[in-house]
């Protein structure tokens, strides 16, 4: 028996807001297939508001209403059966975050959950990495966002530990990350990876996806530490305007990509990882996988 349904996840981050629509196909007793049907990204940088002023501006609130209205219509046209909207670092730290959530529910009928860093890490960890990587190895999963970075250690196919740190690209751009935070992250990574002989990184987030695409690597093949280090130096050699024009980057990517690359390189150095895999999955994928698993439990 063939069953096809569409699920959607809305990821309200500090640098952008995304809508991921995924088609889930069930066929008899076979494992389900998850296929990305549509991904829409809107560059509403909430972190620039919240990390500097403590609240979401009226302008960005109105942009969020427009985005959620459009997302609602897209989900309707795709006949989405289940969806979930989650907001991360910027929204949960905004003094008017709860008020914005209430107003958006009234305006668009989309209920937004303000999730903390531990829930964010759990959702990311729920993604099915076994289809993409060798589950017999040890990996440090690094999901870099605008407001925070989530670190998860996988070994022999199981989650060992995870932690969220307020180390995000928008915070770094606005000089809001102290050296003590970098030291705290370094200590956590070293303590939790030292017992493993060999660790590889898994990179998640729009910035590492952009780097991976530009590398020309075939999906599944990792980037080396040396490649990423050379690319980092290349990025820094260009001005912001040159990165937009010469490297053809989006304006809201051309600035955050440098601090993001620094985070990945630092994580590789501290975990002694020589390679970073980029399976192009993240929070939105985890949200959808979690919804599907909840459906199975109900049936």
């Amino acid at each position: 028996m063939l069953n096809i349904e569409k699920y959607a996840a809305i990821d309200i981050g500090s640098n952008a807001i995304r809508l991921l629509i995924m088609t889930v196909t069930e066929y008899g007793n076979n494992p389900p297939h998850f296929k990305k049907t549509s991904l829409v990204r809107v560059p509403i940088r909430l972190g620039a508001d919240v990390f500097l002023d403590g609240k979401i501006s009226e302008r960005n609130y109105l942009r969020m209403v427009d985005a959620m209205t459009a997302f609602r219509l897209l989900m309707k046209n795709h006949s989405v059966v289940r969806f979930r909207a989650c907001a991360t670092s910027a929204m949960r730290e905004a003094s008017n975050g709860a008020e914005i959530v209430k107003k958006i529910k009234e305006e668009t009928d989309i209920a937004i959950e303000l999730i903390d860093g531990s829930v964010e890490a759990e959702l990311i960890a729920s993604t099915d990495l076994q289809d993409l990587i060798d589950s017999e190895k040890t990996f440090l999963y690094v999901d870099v966002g605008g407001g925070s970075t989530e670190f998860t250690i996988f070994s022999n196919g199981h989650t060992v530990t995870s932690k969220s740190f307020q180390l995000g690209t928008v915070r770094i751009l606005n000089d809001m990350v102290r050296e003590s935070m970098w030291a705290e992250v370094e200590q956590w990574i070293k303590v939790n990876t030292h017992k493993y002989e060999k660790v590889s990184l898994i990179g998640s987030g729009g910035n590492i996806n952009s780097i991976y695409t530009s590398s020309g690597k075939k999906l599944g093949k990792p980037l080396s530490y040396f490649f990423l280090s050379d690319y980092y130096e290349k990025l820094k050699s260009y001005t912001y305007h040159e990165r937009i024009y010469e490297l053809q980057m989006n304006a809201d990517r051309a600035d955050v990509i440098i601090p993001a690359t620094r985070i990945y390189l630092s994580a590789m150095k501290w975990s002694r990882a020589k390679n970073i895999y980029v399976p192009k999955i993240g929070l939105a994928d985890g949200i959808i996988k979690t919804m599907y698993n909840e459906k199975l439990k109900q049936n």
Side-chain angles (χ1 to χ4, degrees):
M1 186 72 176
L2 186 69
N3 182 52
I4 301 173
E5 292 182 328
K6 287 184 180 180
Y7 290 68
I10 298 174
D11 171 9
I12 303 170
S14 302
N15 191 46
I17 297 175
R18 301 170 186 82
L19 167 68
L20 172 64
I21 297 175
M22 193 172 287
T23 300
V24 182
T25 304
E26 299 171 316
Y27 185 54
N29 294 322
N30 298 295
H33 284 175
F34 293 82
K35 182 179 180 181
K36 294 183 181 181
T37 305
S38 176
L39 176 63
V40 180
R41 179 180 183 276
V42 184
I44 303 176
R45 189 168 285 182
L46 298 177
D49 284 346
V50 179
F51 305 145
L52 292 175
D53 301 324
K55 64 179 182 179
I56 295 168
S57 66
E58 179 69 12
R59 175 177 179 270
N60 276 340
Y61 158 67
L62 294 174
R63 294 177 71 199
M64 283 186 70
V65 170
D66 287 343
M68 294 300 145
T69 301
F71 288 177
R72 167 64 76 178
L73 290 172
L74 284 169
M75 289 190 292
K76 179 181 178 181
N77 275 276
H78 275 277
S79 299
V80 166
V81 296
R82 292 169 182 247
F83 79 90
R84 183 179 178 186
C86 295
T88 56
S89 187
M91 279 282 284
R92 68 179 174 244
E93 292 180 32
S95 61
N96 59 344
E99 178 189 351
I100 295 291
V101 167
K102 182 180 178 181
K103 290 166 72 173
I104 286 178
K105 179 66 168 68
E106 292 171 352
E107 293 276 355
T108 68
D109 198 31
I110 289 179
I112 298 172
E113 299 175 50
L114 300 178
I115 62 172
D116 61 26
S118 61
V119 173
E120 187 175 353
E122 286 173 11
L123 285 168
I124 292 167
S126 71
T127 55
D128 195 356
L129 295 172
Q130 282 74 14
D131 294 338
L132 302 162
I133 61 173
D134 187 343
S135 60
E136 295 181 359
K137 296 180 180 179
T138 299
F139 295 91
L140 172 60
Y141 188 114
V142 183
D143 183 64
V144 176
S148 63
T149 296
E150 280 61 50
F151 297 90
T152 304
I153 295 176
F154 294 94
S155 187
N156 296 318
H158 299 286
T159 301
V160 177
T161 186
S162 64
K163 190 171 178 63
S164 176
F165 292 90
Q166 288 187 329
L167 181 70
T169 57
V170 178
R171 289 187 198 273
I172 295 171
L173 282 179
N174 289 287
D175 198 26
M176 299 182 68
V177 176
R178 296 179 180 178
E179 284 303 313
S180 59
M181 175 58 71
W182 286 99
E184 187 179 342
V185 174
E186 178 182 1
Q187 176 73 4
W188 187 90
I189 291 175
K190 286 183 174 179
V191 166
N192 287 283
T193 62
H194 81 280
K195 65 179 180 180
Y196 301 107
E197 185 177 338
K198 185 179 180 181
V199 177
S200 293
L201 243 68
I202 299 172
S204 176
N207 292 291
I208 195 67
N209 288 346
S210 175
I211 294 171
Y212 194 82
T213 298
S214 68
S215 75
K217 286 275 189 180
K218 183 179 178 182
L219 188 63
K221 299 294 183 181
L223 301 177
S224 70
Y225 177 86
F226 297 106
F227 172 87
L228 196 59
S229 181
D230 286 345
Y231 194 82
Y232 181 54
E233 294 304 319
K234 176 184 175 181
L235 288 173
K236 292 194 296 180
S237 72
Y238 286 83
T239 66
Y240 171 68
H241 292 147
E242 286 171 342
R243 289 194 291 273
I244 293 173
Y245 186 79
E246 300 291 343
L247 302 182
Q248 299 182 34
M249 290 185 177
N250 291 333
D252 67 309
R253 174 76 63 215
D255 53 357
V256 293
I257 196 166
I258 288 181
T261 309
R262 179 187 174 190
I263 294 172
Y264 291 116
L265 281 171
S266 298
M268 293 182 79
K269 178 181 177 181
W270 297 331
S271 64
R272 311 177 315 282
K274 295 180 180 178
N275 294 302
I276 178 169
Y277 291 82
V278 188
K280 296 191 176 182
I281 55 177
L283 178 61
D285 300 82
I287 292 171
I288 288 175
K289 189 65 186 294
T290 301
M291 283 191 293
Y292 178 76
N293 288 337
E294 288 172 350
K295 187 201 83 164
L296 293 181
K297 290 177 183 178
Q298 293 170 359
N299 291 343

